[in-house]
Amino acid sequence: MFYHDGKLQYTVRVEKPNPHFAKMLQQAIGGIEGEMRVALQYLFQAWGARGPKKFRDLLLETGTEELAHIEMLATAVALNLEGAPSETKSNFVAHPVVGAILGGMDPRHVISSGLAAMAADANGVPFNGSWIVATGNLAADMHANVMAESSGRVLAARLYAMTDDPGMKDMLSFLIARDSMHQNQWLAVLEDIGGLQGAHPIPNSVDRAVEPDQFSYAFVSTKREPQPDPGERWTQGPTPDGKGAFHFEPAAPTGGEPVLAPSPPEAFAQLEQRELEPVG
Amino acid sequence: MFYHDGKLQYTVRVEKPNPHFAKMLQQAIGGIEGEMRVALQYLFQAWGARGPKKFRDLLLETGTEELAHIEMLATAVALNLEGAPSETKSNFVAHPVVGAILGGMDPRHVISSGLAAMAADANGVPFNGSWIVATGNLAADMHANVMAESSGRVLAARLYAMTDDPGMKDMLSFLIARDSMHQNQWLAVLEDIGGLQGAHPIPNSVDRAVEPDQFSYAFVSTKREPQPDPGERWTQGPTPDGKGAFHFEPAAPTGGEPVLAPSPPEAFAQLEQRELEPVG
Amino acid sequence: MFYHDGKLQYTVRVEKPNPHFAKMLQQAIGGIEGEMRVALQYLFQAWGARGPKKFRDLLLETGTEELAHIEMLATAVALNLEGAPSETKSNFVAHPVVGAILGGMDPRHVISSGLAAMAADANGVPFNGSWIVATGNLAADMHANVMAESSGRVLAARLYAMTDDPGMKDMLSFLIARDSMHQNQWLAVLEDIGGLQGAHPIPNSVDRAVEPDQFSYAFVSTKREPQPDPGERWTQGPTPDGKGAFHFEPAAPTGGEPVLAPSPPEAFAQLEQRELEPVG
Amino acid sequence: MFYHDGKLQYTVRVEKPNPHFAKMLQQAIGGIEGEMRVALQYLFQAWGARGPKKFRDLLLETGTEELAHIEMLATAVALNLEGAPSETKSNFVAHPVVGAILGGMDPRHVISSGLAAMAADANGVPFNGSWIVATGNLAADMHANVMAESSGRVLAARLYAMTDDPGMKDMLSFLIARDSMHQNQWLAVLEDIGGLQGAHPIPNSVDRAVEPDQFSYAFVSTKREPQPDPGERWTQGPTPDGKGAFHFEPAAPTGGEPVLAPSPPEAFAQLEQRELEPVG
Amino acid sequence: MFYHDGKLQYTVRVEKPNPHFAKMLQQAIGGIEGEMRVALQYLFQAWGARGPKKFRDLLLETGTEELAHIEMLATAVALNLEGAPSETKSNFVAHPVVGAILGGMDPRHVISSGLAAMAADANGVPFNGSWIVATGNLAADMHANVMAESSGRVLAARLYAMTDDPGMKDMLSFLIARDSMHQNQWLAVLEDIGGLQGAHPIPNSVDRAVEPDQFSYAFVSTKREPQPDPGERWTQGPTPDGKGAFHFEPAAPTGGEPVLAPSPPEAFAQLEQRELEPVG
Amino acid sequence: MFYHDGKLQYTVRVEKPNPHFAKMLQQAIGGIEGEMRVALQYLFQAWGARGPKKFRDLLLETGTEELAHIEMLATAVALNLEGAPSETKSNFVAHPVVGAILGGMDPRHVISSGLAAMAADANGVPFNGSWIVATGNLAADMHANVMAESSGRVLAARLYAMTDDPGMKDMLSFLIARDSMHQNQWLAVLEDIGGLQGAHPIPNSVDRAVEPDQFSYAFVSTKREPQPDPGERWTQGPTPDGKGAFHFEPAAPTGGEPVLAPSPPEAFAQLEQRELEPVG
């Protein structure tokens, strides 16, 4: 169950409201690298957690923290949309050329939300539930979480570089720091369940006899003209999972051309597709 | 530029065509864990690669290999849809109860694609370009790739367990093995660019002075009733990025309640929303 | 800021796990009538609230409660997916006909989430951020909220009728009751800001001189053959907004046929589309 | 069955073509508050109407009228895109800075539709069928309709404020007036079927014994620190459905922590997730 | 402007209600091959039509007819969902195996729409506005229309083959016939504006000097091992546009490897990506 | 199976990097008229091809070529995003008005992809798998392919007209030429399988007795006031399929008003919807 206190986890202050920056901040709310994704991803992972209780607890902890980050960013969007210099807000009616000034903001911040954040990315594309990754496999999910925090921190750093508003820089510093922590924390879980060698290849619950080693550690080069082994970290030496050694192989088909049956009458293909001439 | 030979990378053989299994296989084609995602993700990462050329090359190599995996799976779907036992294909017209036999297959495999694979997942939800992650940051992208191969291998293992068709098991063994290789190969890239300690926190191109250390390594517990430090791997000891030490903090707001301006006339909120009583 | 205690708002108990019912419950999680929508809708409305603080508070209160409802339903899905009768889980491999048993469940509950809830509806269509309505107009938003709780209660009632599991019936009773409360509470807000007559037509901040009364209270009948006034509640008598009276009008165009300019060269239409013959 | 006469319901006249305003108008066509949604929503509600025929008739009437509104707006978009000042259309090639003038228009109005309206919102996000609400419950559907017309009128008012083109203001006046009418008409239906007290809680076809009154009229406060009853309209006094009285309750869990079974082998979670230590 | 009479264009009669067939019919309503797409596609093409008025008229005519087809199919769905054999509707509660009977129907037909059609395809995926093709080029649009009617007729034929309900067969016969007409009618427009040779290559308003003939009529073979010209219709002889002759060419790159600049600091890639080693 | 050589099919050269043009080019990558759609459409058609092998071969050939076109365009986007005039990249922080300069570019090109192409259209709307048309009917698919190449060539011509960068004009000339070829080649396939008269009405595998000729060749006019036959190509004379003759018919319903059963109790409509008064 969840509770709130209506206060912000960290101060959100906007000195120079900027509707263009409000649009950029939307990516950190409703974009695939954004806070809605991580908040819901960690909560769904928690709600489906099977195995040691401590992982469910951990996911609930941080999933709940991320809700506060959406709150901070939504507040930052709202503040960037108010008190904007009058030339930005009022000249739209003047004529088309000046109207272009509005080009950099999300028009739906005015016409749809009335100066408030939306559940969408910087282009107005709505948040999508398919981005919430929860496989039921703890190691796969931790990689998903490290990746989400990594792309989130890249995004926050780019936003930091784009603004010279001290309040926004301060808020983004905080969020960058929290992303550092969360990267580390999910890596710590991976360490806790055996590290790369214990966890990989993910899932570690597959009987290794299922997969032929000749395929499991072969780097397949699809270069049209076969090349020699370049001797890279991924073509030679022990594999990071500690269970094999890389080798190099030019791509070559081992299966022939596929042969499909003629189209059956009930599929209503063209008549030409029903003839007996074999495919392949 | 790309070339083809019309042959399959690995044999695809279906002994007992099963339209229900065809539906399951769609997840491995057009689902978020599927081969369309990894093929396009690696290719888009390659096409935008900036920095040492060897990483662009690597991404092109494996992106191209994944195209062959879509081809194998699409062929497997087509073969599972043909020659199905006549009771499955022909009884639909009989009456509703028997019609339920069709319940387990994707109806669009008959009515839309005419017994062929589609660019959709196991529920018929179309492939979505937003799943293609390419941030321009090599380390973030490698985590995205490890995660994609991890969830892909989890999926392939579950599909393997669901079928007793020897041909399908053989094909899935191959794909499971390739996912093992690809997990290892992307981890090898991370090792090549400095390992966890060199790469994290991602991006490693942010000036660390930007982020206050008090926030970067603090585990924030959102439990309603504050708890003592549980002494877990993620609350104490060195952080996996090698740059700090975890500590434990109960959640507490450091920002107050947000204060937004009254709604301006041009936003056409209700009149009650224009009054001067401050929010917060 | 948000907090949690890891406990459920109301007991979730499943006596006879049923993967088909798990699929149905997904509609109440990630469907347009579901709890993700209301939780996020109320929170986004709160985060953008301008005007009297009590409305922001109210929205935060109930938005936070709805998070606990997602938690309950996600737990119910997970419990319905475990311990299912072995004939349901293990016979898939047998042959196509028996495989149909799986037809009624969401295959991604096995192959994607590993027996856990997903952020999707009963057909596996992902949750979509566009469903989160927050216009910045309190009265419009309250109608959106009443509507969300109405369709949510219809859904919960249908789910209640579909199950004979006492635990599920008990949980759904609780949710049906909460939907009753929330309908009433949003209606109470409408009452608080002037009732239908004070709030309508929404927004009440438009200068009524803008809109010609001849159009504001005219029922336009689009019947091909004009009909007499049927004397219904919506064709005669005072309007519910208390500001006019209904009258009845057969549809008739007052604008002529539209006249568009020929296609300019740079649009690369066909040559025929550039000729001078006027359209209309 | 449907018929047309090729004429516009109301005059559409553009004195100063403005491609930026064309982009804004798209929200009223293909956005969630737009005319495609209401037209199709009323028609789908009509086509599935069960119960007194007069409601089906009413929905067909107004659904058909809304088709004429899409037609008006699509014409307005096309007219705003033609004859635009040459500096707007021709300078794109000049250099990047001047090219920004085009920033405010939807690029697809040039490159995809060739100066015509599209089935998308102001950000180019396509119309989505999930927005069409038709629950089969007349009262729930009427609230959906009131809400659609409310957000539609808010949008039209904001568009009205953004333009000083007399033709566009005139057209928007007409549409604002029709939204007033439609709000009133759907409210009249609610009145016709018993008013708030007759219809709520929606659906009114649930046996009230199903839901415990202790939950049906309790305002649950999720404040982290329990607060006293604020004595608001939604915490005390009779409920708008006329069937109970509000009371105030601090949030408290009544269910314990959820307990899920360990992950079964066939789900291929990590090995750690199979151990017997109970969760919760 | 549009009008209606509430009657069906052609009789819709269901003798043996079948909820599984209702699900199949959804593809013809809200699927990409369905009637919502063609109705709206023709209307949007009409509303943006520039050039001779007769084409706008034609598109309005048939766009309006297609609205009547959605109406017929929505009615067919509603009728297939009612009066279904009691074993289909009432046994869901019994136990999971029998519950599978429901597997073949769309659960949202019960829990979301209350036995009515929805704006979605046979898998419940919502209708999407991006499917509405209107390029502003008449010839391109006519091909889009022929294609839509072709895939629509394929779908209708497959649905016809799936049912033995005489009423459904009768309705589908009518729709198949109308699709024949519409294919012919759009082909007639192509003939009217010059036939294949007049219209192709589309657009015919491009200065042919822009495109080098060596590329415009070359069949590029991407076979890994270059092959001889197979002498097919598409490798030799006059081209269907009447403006050239096919020739055969093995694929070969004419551009080198792409060279991108190192990643600039503000993009926050990894440090390795900023080094000076050229890419390519 | 697929191979690559890392070289571009045709030179991609950008003399004056322009981030606004990069945004426009996205439509040609991830838009519905773009290269991702055609590449995947032809490959999926190939992988599901049933009938003469030469068509599968052809589809693989050109599907593989289109992959090289995505590569060219993604490179063009990356090059247009680098080295942009400093006033474009660095002034965002200055103040809101100048920030508008950025309005014309896709913000995600900076904050999400780090100066690289994305799998999205010119408005940032992600590529969608539903656009990939593969019906299993060769003639229907060829029309889909002609249509895709037609809208693609219209798009390329408009992009050509928008830029004065010689490198971009050169690349677009090549792509325009390839679209010419591909239009011709798919038309050649249609010719190869019988031409319009052999292929239409599509599918040609429907027993013509199924469809009543009175409906198959009747132009239905939906004008509200019935009109005389205008004597157009589509109302008189032989049909392009060579199997009938057009005639003209004013629209008139042949089915009555639909009659649906009252709502059953388990659908939880309003009580008013259960009464016995017949609908219709």
Side-chain angles (χ1 to χ4, degrees), chain E residues 47-92:
Chain E
W47 295 328
R50 298 175 186 277
K53 175 175 168 351
K54 67 181 178 179
F55 299 124
R56 167 192 289 264
D57 277 355
L58 173 58
L59 289 160
L60 274 183
E61 295 270 33
T62 306
T64 306
E65 181 187 359
E66 302 288 9
L67 293 170
H69 294 185
I70 315 177
E71 187 177 41
M72 287 170 62
L73 286 159
T75 303
V77 166
L79 293 174
N80 269 291
L81 290 168
E82 71 189 24
S86 61
E87 65 270 32
T88 304
K89 281 203 304 194
S90 66
N91 281 351
F92 184 78

Side-chain angles (χ1 to χ4, degrees), chain F residues 182-246:
Chain F
H182 293 155
Q183 287 181 27
N184 275 293
Q185 131 187 354
W186 306 131
L187 289 169
V189 172
L190 279 171
E191 196 179 306
D192 196 69
I193 60 172
L196 292 187
Q197 300 205 1
H200 282 269
I202 295 171
N204 63 3
S205 46
V206 169
D207 181 353
R208 294 302 308 280
V210 156
E211 49 178 319
D213 263 10
Q214 84 209 73
F215 299 129
S216 293
Y217 300 115
F219 179 83
V220 172
S221 169
T222 56
K223 284 268 174 61
R224 191 191 194 193
E225 301 301 328
Q227 304 292 320
D229 178 349
E232 292 286 356
R233 178 66 192 85
W234 43 86
T235 62
Q236 296 180 352
T239 53
D241 66 7
K243 298 177 180 115
F246 287 124

Side-chain angles (χ1 to χ4, degrees), chain A residues 197-209:
Chain A
Q197 300 204 0
H200 282 269
I202 295 171
N204 64 3
S205 47
V206 169
D207 181 354
R208 295 302 307 280

Side-chain angles (χ1 to χ4, degrees), chain A residues 8 11 45 55 60-61 75 102 106 127 133 153 168 177 203 217 242 250 269 279:
Chain A
L8 298 170
T11 304
Q45 287 178 8
F55 299 123
L60 274 183
E61 295 271 33
T75 302
L102 277 182
D106 183 337
F127 178 79
V133 174
R153 195 169 178 270
M168 285 294 93
Y217 300 114
V279 180

Side-chain angles (χ1 to χ4, degrees), chain E residues 9 61 130-131 135 153 158 173 178 180 183 191 200 202-203 210-211 215 218 221-222 233 241 254-255, chain F residues 8-9 61 130-131 135 153 158 173 178 180 183-184 191 200 202-203 210-211 215 218 222 233 241 254-255:
Chain E
Q9 188 183 7
E61 295 270 33
S130 66
W131 302 338
T135 65
R153 193 168 181 269
R158 288 171 180 166
S173 281
R178 295 310 295 155
S180 293
Q183 288 180 28
E191 198 179 304
H200 282 269
I202 295 171
V210 156
E211 49 178 323
F215 299 131
S221 170
T222 56
R233 180 66 193 84
D241 66 8
T254 66
Chain F
L8 298 170
Q9 188 183 7
E61 295 271 33
S130 66
W131 302 338
T135 65
R153 193 168 180 272
R158 289 171 179 167
S173 281
R178 295 310 293 155
S180 292
Q183 287 181 27
N184 275 293
E191 196 179 306
H200 282 269
I202 295 171
V210 156
E211 49 178 319
F215 299 129
T222 56
R233 178 66 192 85
D241 66 7
T254 64

